[in-house]
Amino acid sequence: MSPRDGSSATIFAPFSGILVPLDEVPDPAFAQRLAGDGIAIDPLDQRVVAPCDGRVLQVHRAGHALTLSAYGLEILIHVGLDTVKLKGKGFKARVKAGDDVRKGDELMTFDADYIATNAVSLISPVLVTNMDRVTSLRPRTGKVRAGDLLLEIGTAAAQWAQITELQRDALRSSPIVVTHEAGLHARPAAVVAAAARQFTSDVRLVKGDREANARSLVSIMALEVARGDSITIVARGEDAQEAIAGITRTLTTDLAASHGAAPAAKRPERAAAAPKAAAPSRDDGALRGVPASPGVAVGQVFQLRHDDAVLEERAADANHERRELDAAIASAHLQLEAMRTRVATEADADRAAIFAAHQELLEDPEVLDAAAQHIREGASAAFAWREAYTAQSDRLAGLANPLLAGRAADLRDVGRRVLHLLVGRDDTPHDVPSDSIIVAEDLAPSDAATVDRTRVRGFCTTMGSATSHVAILARGLGIPAVAGIDPRVLDIPNGTRVILDGDAGTLQMGPTAADEGEIAKRQAAAAQQRNAELAVAAEAAVTRDGHRVEVVANIGDEKEARQVPEVGGEGVGLLRTEFLFMERRTAPDEQEQTRAYEAIARALGPDRILVIRTLDVGGDKPLPYMPMGTEANPFLGERGVRLSLNRPEAFRAQIRAILRASKVGKVAMMFPMISTLAEWRAARQLVEEERSALGVPRIQVGIMVETSSAALMADRFAEDADFFSIGTNDLTQYTLAMDRTNPRLAAQVDALHPAVLRLIERTVAGARKHKRWVGVCGALAGDLQAVPVLVGLGIDELSVSVPIVPAVKARVRSLKLSECTETARQALDAADGAEVRALVARRHT
Ligand code: PEP
Ligand code: MG
């Protein structure tokens, strides 16, 4: 029967052997047909030949399996069971992906003795993996010789028309000489890939005896087309002619006209760019970022990567794994989109282009196909994905052209992003050497759990800002941090000795002995002062003229809560609950939240206040399991309480958990990002409903003052809000209209700016009208220069990171309220933050 005659295809035996029905294969993934349907063969020879005419879609990296495409079907030949773990030993591929083969052509040879003794079994499944195209499948029984009929497969007639079309002879362009300056490196390759994806035909670029899938950025880059090279376009399919014409135009007109500058791509916003060459660095060679946590440390670089994690290799349900992978890729897209939008609005076009390039890589068919294939073969989504992207990034890294080899890092970056989403919390401990300066693209709360904190001297990230997670984490640990640093930091080899200066926001490589001596002196002096402050930390913070200020802590988890009493913290002024929600794949349920809040309340004891802030995500902090649309201005979008109000079920669950925890401690609740009275009233109403349903006593409920509107309307909010907690990090960015995460604006985003101070003054005035208390929980509260000003403005409570509680208390004790009041008065009239700092330095040495 001819394979092309309308409704059936015939697959012949790729080698001789005894036929074994799939049900009897001793591997559940195959026996349950999770990878597809077909037959298995217990081989009697050691040579695999093509079971029909077709094209090699993939040769598995471990060499033990390959997939052919023929007549619209994907046919997997998997030699032996669990042979992936042989890592290629015992197999020799004779073809590569993209090769066209004819029935009987040799595809692979294998060493049957070696496999029989080192793997589970030699039994080899031959399967159709895309069974959605199959209407019937009849395997033979008994014994076969290579080339004998093996499977008769029926497919829907309509599909044959399409398949026949695809099998039509390929069209070929005349040779095209690439004139683009750097050849088809990342950016032009992305433009060509984008152009190819506009057509349905299968399009290949051919250079000599090598070819690339034209839709695949990775594949094109791996073809290593240099300026002056001649390539041919080969297309098969309905619009093959148009595809050849379109891509030829892209190569000869669009790219050639651009001379290495931005080419006229159809989707210019998605075009990839080479990484920024002249990223910010100082004349002394130090890399520069944003000061994120004060202090200075000497240590050795440790690059924190997530692809070191130990993954579950196999999974039982291929469909489920496929869905998981798709969801993780979609989430990664969202994350990259958010970051891209953010840096684009910061006019940082180079970094925006890098994120765009990462998004492009997420769509790369070579990587996606390889991952899909691994999943069909029974791999877990995470394992399949890691195999796919590391294979491709290794391939790129091995290229001679350094520009292209550099793209391997991009692929690994984007690969890790998806992997991280797939594995959720990565609790695999990282083997961090002592005196490490942790370097990463970004650090999430879960990262802190995977490193031995006693070995960490500082953090340094390419993302983030003075108020991002890494800053909060580092301040919580009392170690220096620099965020938003030059991405070249990611290339520094592990073990390189560096100085991390969290005050200046720099990372200096190769310190001299004199540099190190100087730093050791600074550290010793700081330690001595800290010990002195710690010795009296339990005493109240009362000014010299008898005015008491509460000093409490900002925390994110129970571990930090336990440290609060040890450092003299009088309670918790801000529990950032989002740490419980981030870096995982589903939201914590009500019970889990209740347990977490109760544990924290217990750690503080019955007398210390615990202010729990409801979820503050959204905008630039998306949660993978809470889909949100792309926003042009995420900081002005659906974040904080706005997001919670739009998801009332989840919001109510959190409110109930907080109310339940109030039975074991002195719990208060507050809402982030309140800007209108309507939001506040809606949130408070939910609290009241849940409280009466649960029958728990009233607790204090307040708002964060983080927007100018909340500050300006403070007297109205104070009518029924029990307290205010001023979030100076956000209040400053909104007041000055300067993004708090933008490294370029970092020096100017000073919360001591008189504009911010005037809003704080107004907030205090509004609160006083109704006898409400006012705290500050933004980073300004822990800024020792700001303490006299805040005390002078009438702030009742300063909420700061745990390690600096003793220093802030000591600072308050050194002051006189009367002098602070005068300092504050003058500060309100100053011109800018620098003038306020100079004023404080003059009046309160
Ligand atoms: C703030 O904005 O000052 C604040 C404390 O909230 P977060 O830093 O968590 O946004
Ligand atoms: Mg905030």
Side-chain angles (χ1 to χ4, degrees):
M1 190 178 314
S2 159
R4 297 194 187 187
D5 68 0
S7 59
S8 72
T10 310
I11 305 298
F12 300 91
F15 40 81
S16 311
I18 317 286
L19 297 179
V20 181
L22 276 191
D23 306 302
E24 291 169 30
V25 171
D27 180 313
F30 289 120
Q32 290 168 26
R33 293 172 168 73
L34 298 174
D37 206 351
I39 185 81
I41 309 175
D42 201 353
L44 293 173
D45 56 24
Q46 311 194 55
R47 185 168 168 266
V48 180
V49 299
C52 56
D53 294 356
R55 162 167 293 190
V56 180
L57 271 186
Q58 202 209 1
V59 178
H60 193 283
R61 200 162 154 236
H64 66 295
L66 46 81
T67 309
L68 289 186
S69 155
Y71 319 120
L73 302 175
E74 289 179 13
I75 300 146
L76 168 72
I77 305 171
H78 191 286
V79 178
L81 298 177
D82 222 3
T83 37
V84 64
K85 68 167 197 250
L86 300 182
K87 298 200 164 81
K89 206 150 174 223
F91 303 95
K92 240 189 188 64
R94 304 291 180 190
V95 288
K96 60 182 185 326
D99 285 353
D100 287 322
V101 292
R102 299 194 70 82
K103 176 179 173 260
D105 285 354
E106 189 176 78
L107 301 179
M108 171 205 297
T109 54
F110 57 90
D111 180 344
D113 284 345
Y114 178 82
I115 297 168
T117 44
N118 290 285
V120 172
S121 164
L122 248 180
I123 292 179
S124 305
V126 178
L127 308 174
V128 175
T129 56
N130 56 339
M131 284 298 292
D132 50 334
R133 299 220 165 158
V134 172
T135 51
S136 66
L137 185 143
R138 269 189 297 141
R140 271 193 54 191
T141 52
K143 203 169 164 183
V144 285
R145 291 167 60 87
D148 283 353
L149 187 148
L150 184 70
L151 297 166
E152 280 185 30
I153 300 167
T155 67
Q159 286 159 358
W160 277 113
Q162 189 193 349
I163 292 158
T164 310
E165 188 63 29
L166 286 172
Q167 295 284 318
R168 216 173 50 190
D169 281 346
L171 293 182
R172 200 171 266 273
S173 74
S174 33
I176 301 166
V177 176
V178 174
T179 55
H180 195 264
E181 225 164 13
L184 291 187
H185 71 93
R187 191 180 180 106
V191 176
V192 172
R197 283 189 214 145
Q198 319 232 324
F199 303 100
T200 55
S201 292
D202 177 60
V203 188
R204 309 268 147 181
L205 301 186
V206 180
K207 178 186 142 188
D209 60 353
R210 291 161 65 194
E211 72 166 44
N213 178 347
R215 294 162 181 268
S216 163
L217 175 60
V218 174
S219 182
I220 298 175
M221 289 194 293
L223 198 58
E224 294 191 279
V225 179
R227 184 182 195 175
D229 281 352
S230 169
I231 58 172
T232 317
I233 307 166
V234 178
R236 286 179 183 79
E238 269 174 2
D239 53 3
Q241 202 147 10
E242 292 86 339
I244 288 183
I247 297 166
T248 304
R249 203 168 38 246
T250 302
L251 283 165
T252 54
T253 315
D254 300 349
L255 290 179
S258 72
H259 290 299
K266 293 241 165 70
R267 289 158 54 208
E269 79 281 7
R270 280 290 174 90
K276 186 176 181 178
S281 65
R282 297 195 317 184
D283 294 345
D284 57 6
L287 299 178
R288 203 177 61 212
V290 184
S293 176
V296 61
V298 184
Q300 52 173 322
V301 164
F302 180 79
Q303 303 274 356
L304 192 71
R305 307 249 193 258
H306 288 284
D307 50 358
D308 306 333
V310 176
L311 306 175
E312 204 60 61
E313 272 190 35
R314 310 280 297 171
D317 182 348
N319 287 336
H320 174 259
E321 297 304 304
R322 188 61 221 235
R323 282 195 300 275
E324 292 279 295
L325 180 60
D326 289 346
I329 289 172
S331 297
H333 251 302
L334 277 179
Q335 286 183 352
L336 288 166
E337 191 62 34
M339 289 197 272
R340 192 165 73 89
T341 313
R342 202 173 79 207
V343 295
T345 53
E346 289 162 8
D348 194 344
D350 293 322
R351 285 178 78 198
I354 289 171
F355 294 133
H358 283 195
Q359 283 182 306
E360 187 79 37
L361 289 170
L362 275 182
E363 292 171 12
D364 198 285
E366 292 275 296
V367 182
L368 296 179
D369 287 353
Q373 180 64 23
H374 293 314
I375 288 176
R376 283 197 291 271
E377 290 169 19
S380 70
F383 186 76
W385 175 252
R386 193 176 66 180
E387 288 288 298
Y389 83 77
T390 49
Q392 297 292 359
S393 59
D394 289 352
R395 184 172 160 209
L396 287 180
L399 299 180
N401 180 338
L403 242 178
L404 298 181
R407 311 318 296 171
D410 277 349
L411 186 52
R412 273 196 295 273
D413 265 12
V414 77
R416 272 198 296 273
R417 183 177 300 286
V418 174
L419 188 65
H420 198 196
L421 286 162
L422 276 169
V423 295
R425 260 177 214 269
D426 174 7
D427 291 334
T428 318
H430 288 272
D431 206 2
V432 178
S434 52
D435 294 339
S436 281
I437 305 288
I438 303 283
V439 174
E441 187 194 34
D442 205 356
L443 281 171
S446 58
D447 294 318
T450 65
V451 296
D452 177 351
R453 298 183 190 194
T454 61
R455 292 164 169 248
V456 178
R457 296 285 163 267
F459 292 119
C460 185
T461 61
T462 59
M463 295 297 297
S465 66
T467 49
S468 59
H469 277 131
V470 65
I472 292 162
L473 193 67
R475 285 200 290 261
L477 294 171
I479 58 175
V482 176
I485 201 164
D486 184 332
R488 283 178 293 179
V489 76
L490 299 173
D491 300 329
I492 301 177
N494 276 348
T496 306
R497 219 157 161 76
V498 290
I499 297 177
L500 182 76
D501 190 332
D503 301 308
T506 58
L507 184 90
Q508 169 86 57
M509 275 174 278
T512 62
D515 292 336
E516 294 204 17
E518 183 56 37
I519 282 155
K521 260 195 240 153
R522 263 170 80 180
Q523 287 172 327
Q528 202 176 9
Q529 185 175 349
R530 180 165 166 71
N531 287 340
E533 289 163 357
L534 201 55
V536 292
E539 293 169 22
V542 181
T543 60
R544 287 190 280 133
D545 49 358
H547 172 70
R548 178 161 182 177
V549 178
E550 300 265 333
V551 181
V552 294
N554 291 349
I555 63 166
D557 59 22
E558 186 196 343
K559 195 166 174 188
E560 282 189 302
R562 284 199 296 268
Q563 295 162 0
V564 172
E566 292 164 18
V567 296
E570 295 165 278
V572 164
L574 169 62
L575 167 62
R576 288 184 162 101
T577 57
E578 54 272 16
F579 288 178
L580 191 62
F581 286 77
M582 297 175 92
E583 299 299 314
R584 47 189 293 157
R585 299 164 76 188
T586 53
D589 63 19
E590 194 176 322
Q591 282 77 25
E592 187 181 344
Q593 290 187 59
T594 307
R595 278 196 302 275
Y597 306 148
E598 281 176 350
I600 291 170
R602 275 197 205 97
L604 295 175
D607 300 325
R608 287 189 187 82
I609 189 167
L610 166 59
V611 181
I612 304 181
R613 175 174 78 181
T614 59
L615 191 60
D616 185 22
V617 294
D620 66 321
K621 290 189 270 180
L623 290 180
Y625 48 85
M626 215 180 248
M628 287 175 275
T630 307
E631 298 179 309
N633 295 299
F635 273 124
L636 304 179
E638 198 187 359
R639 61 170 297 211
V641 77
R642 298 174 191 168
L643 185 97
S644 295
L645 286 168
N646 288 340
R647 289 161 175 76
E649 281 321 303
F651 194 22
R652 280 178 188 274
Q654 181 171 37
I655 290 169
R656 282 196 298 273
I658 295 171
L659 289 167
R660 287 184 208 278
S662 72
K663 293 183 202 156
V664 299
K666 198 171 159 189
V667 169
M669 183 181 333
M670 68 178 175
F671 307 114
M673 282 298 299
I674 291 277
S675 45
T676 66
L677 283 165
E679 287 165 351
W680 155 241
R681 286 176 184 150
R684 195 194 47 182
Q685 168 80 17
L686 293 184
V687 175
E688 210 31 52
E689 284 172 19
E690 293 302 333
R691 192 187 68 77
S692 56
L694 286 175
V696 296
R698 243 191 130 254
I699 63 170
Q700 287 196 60
V701 183
I703 65 164
M704 287 197 73
V705 176
E706 300 181 279
T707 63
S708 321
S709 89
L712 293 168
M713 300 282 284
D715 56 337
R716 296 300 312 273
F717 282 104
E719 287 167 10
D720 43 17
D722 293 314
F723 64 92
F724 294 145
S725 182
I726 305 177
T728 48
N729 306 337
D730 276 314
L731 185 60
T732 306
Q733 76 162 343
Y734 292 128
T735 304
L736 300 180
M738 290 182 188
D739 181 348
R740 70 191 234 186
T741 66
N742 185 341
R744 293 180 193 206
L745 298 176
Q748 298 171 67
V749 192
D750 188 348
L752 268 182
H753 194 287
V756 182
L757 299 181
R758 289 177 189 204
L759 289 175
I760 296 177
E761 181 199 30
R762 179 110 177 199
T763 305
V764 173
R768 292 286 174 266
K769 253 193 194 170
H770 300 278
K771 299 195 170 47
R772 310 299 184 190
W773 61 268
V774 185
V776 172
C777 64
L780 189 69
D783 179 339
L784 297 184
Q785 274 193 303
V787 171
V789 182
L790 295 177
V791 170
L793 286 171
I795 294 299
D796 303 293
E797 179 214 61
L798 297 171
S799 193
V800 303
S801 341
V802 175
I804 53 172
V805 168
V808 171
K809 282 184 134 181
R811 180 68 161 154
V812 172
R813 290 188 208 111
S814 74
L815 302 169
K816 266 181 120 176
L817 175 63
S818 54
E819 288 171 6
C820 292
T821 310
E822 178 54 22
T823 306
R825 196 189 61 72
Q826 291 184 29
L828 290 169
D829 284 335
D832 55 24
E835 212 173 290
V836 175
R837 289 188 185 276
L839 171 75
V840 174
R842 263 199 322 275
R843 291 179 52 82
H844 306 272
T845 40

